[in-house]
Amino acid sequence: MPDLPGTRTDGRIPRPALGELIGLHRRDIDLDHGTVRVRRAVAELFNGQREIKAPKSAAGKRTVSIPAGIIPDIRDHLERYAEAGADGRVFLGAKGATPRRNHFNRLWRKACSDAGIKGLHFHDLRHTSNTLAASTGASTRELMARMGHSTARAALIYQHASAARDRLIADALSDLVAKGRKPKRKQDQEPEGHAGDTPD
């Protein structure tokens, strides 16, 4: 998804991942080929108005492969909740309107509470996805393409997180090796000869 959140000076609330989701139409999702095309985002202004615009960089317009394991869930969502027709919106509010951020946030907090999850922000899902993608060994260029970044900065952040995690795994493996190499205590060693050194 787009750049990491930061301070904006153009009057838009800096949470573009949700804006890209709200901007999706049915024709952007190809479940036969397992892809989603990102072509637009809905930006919610501080004054409450919304504008539909293209991603701010050419890299933001992209086609992203969908993990096969979640395609049935997306298909179910499209059948139950999305607007009909190729131009139908994928995400709608309760009354058929384009969702508002504050209303979505209330629903998100309730869903997290119902699931017994505390402190999880919607945007955290994007960070988790990017970190998991980095952990697969994806290159910087591949991560940039997937996230829609025109610079390597964010991709390197996720690769660094993946490398740090890999170091923790390696350290844990090292502990297992060290434990395996420890000499056994005398009472743990197998007795020599017949069981219990009994006479023949």
Side-chain angles (χ1 to χ4, degrees), residues 19-130:
E20 287 186 350
L21 288 176
I22 293 174
L24 287 177
H25 293 188
R26 276 181 176 268
R27 60 184 151 84
D28 297 319
I29 299 176
D30 182 350
L31 296 183
D32 292 332
H33 294 94
T35 60
V36 58
R37 294 186 317 155
V38 179
R39 295 292 179 267
R40 74 197 68 75
V42 177
E44 188 168 327
L45 308 182
F46 286 112
N47 64 9
Q49 293 182 338
R50 286 175 289 196
E51 63 179 18
I52 300 171
K53 59 183 299 175
K56 63 183 183 181
S57 70
K61 287 186 176 181
R62 64 205 185 278
T63 299
V64 180
S65 294
I66 302 170
I70 66 170
I71 286 179
D73 302 291
I74 297 173
R75 194 181 305 278
D76 180 63
H77 173 89
L78 292 174
E79 290 173 0
R80 297 173 62 186
Y81 302 111
E83 203 169 34
D87 286 326
R89 292 166 295 167
V90 173
F91 295 99
L92 301 172
K95 297 179 180 178
T98 299
R100 289 267 180 198
R101 186 173 302 280
N102 59 357
H103 181 247
F104 174 83
N105 286 339
R106 284 197 300 272
L107 294 175
W108 175 258
R109 287 192 292 271
K110 182 181 185 309
C112 287
S113 176
D114 291 347
I117 299 171
K118 294 182 179 178
L120 180 68
H121 301 283
F122 178 74
H123 209 68
D124 294 338
L125 300 181
R126 175 176 167 268
H127 296 306
T128 299
S129 173
N130 292 339

Side-chain angles (χ1 to χ4, degrees), residues 8 16 18-19 28 42 55 81-82 111 122 138 146-147 150 160-161 164-165 168 175 181 183 186:
R8 299 296 292 265
L18 180 59
D28 297 319
V42 177
Y81 302 111
F122 178 74
R146 189 166 183 85
M147 297 186 303
S150 55
H160 176 74
R165 179 65 185 150
L168 290 175
D175 290 343
R181 288 181 172 170
K186 189 155 184 124

Side-chain angles (χ1 to χ4, degrees), residues 190-200:
E190 291 291 327
E192 295 179 5
H194 295 286
D197 270 346
T198 55
D200 290 337

